[in-house]
Structure formats: C-alpha cells, structure tokens
Amino acid sequence: MFGGYAAYHLGNYALAVLMYMMLARLLLSFFFAEESRQVIWVATRQLTQPFIAAVRVITPGFVIPKALPFIAIFWLALARLLFWILMADAGLAPSLSGVAPAPG
C-alpha cells in the first residue's frame, strides 16, 4: 500500500497533520477570542496545546503568546524537513529518481 515506505509516510503524515492543525489554530485566532466556547476553536486549542506548551519552553520569554503558533509552524516545518533527510539518508524514503517517465 505504501510501496515499502510505510514508516516514512506515516511519520510525515503525523507531522503534516500537526502542522496544519497549528496553522488552523493560527488562522482561527483571528476570528475567536481566547475564551470563546465555539466547538471548532476549543477542539483546535485542545489538540495543539501540548505542542504549544513544548514550544513555549524553548522560546525566549520576551516572545508574546500570540506568536507561538507561528514559531510552532516553523519548528514543525523544520522537523518535517529533517525527518525527510534522515529517512532518505537511511533509504527509507521514496525518491523521484526511480520514477519512470510517462509514456507518450
């Protein structure tokens, strides 16, 4: 199903879901107040809060809390890039060089 690259695809998928959830939190923060009880806002905050807490630990204290989703998206994008590099180096990621050209 994954062409022998299940570990790569599942890891990349997990990081992508977290990154897009963080992007959703960032975008929703422009429309909802922090204390809003809207279901989409509460669910997004609850799903992303553990990663925001981890980012807060490694972020300098002068950074405002509203900027943490930006920083979290940066760290997740970097994690996806490093994950791909490590998996490709180990031969566990698919490459485009083995793809045959389309007939025609």
Side-chain angles (χ1 to χ4, degrees):
M1 180 167 145
F2 291 114
Y5 301 110
Y8 167 75
H9 288 299
L10 293 175
N12 186 43
Y13 183 74
L15 288 170
V17 166
L18 185 55
M19 189 169 84
Y20 290 125
M21 284 298 299
M22 200 62 63
L23 181 62
R25 178 182 175 139
L26 175 68
L27 294 175
L28 288 173
S29 71
F30 293 117
F31 299 103
F32 297 109
E34 282 293 317
E35 63 278 350
S36 177
R37 303 294 297 156
Q38 295 293 324
V39 173
I40 187 74
W41 176 240
V42 172
T44 303
R45 284 188 61 214
Q46 286 178 347
L47 288 171
T48 57
Q49 193 57 38
F51 194 73
I52 288 286
V55 169
R56 183 174 285 131
V57 169
I58 61 171
T59 304
F62 62 84
V63 175
I64 61 172
K66 287 266 188 189
L68 288 175
F70 282 115
I71 297 167
I73 291 168
F74 167 77
W75 283 116
L76 285 166
L78 185 64
R80 284 184 74 190
L81 177 65
L82 291 175
F83 179 74
W84 175 77
I85 290 170
L86 291 173
M87 294 298 273
D89 190 47
L92 299 174
S95 71
L96 293 176
S97 63
V99 176

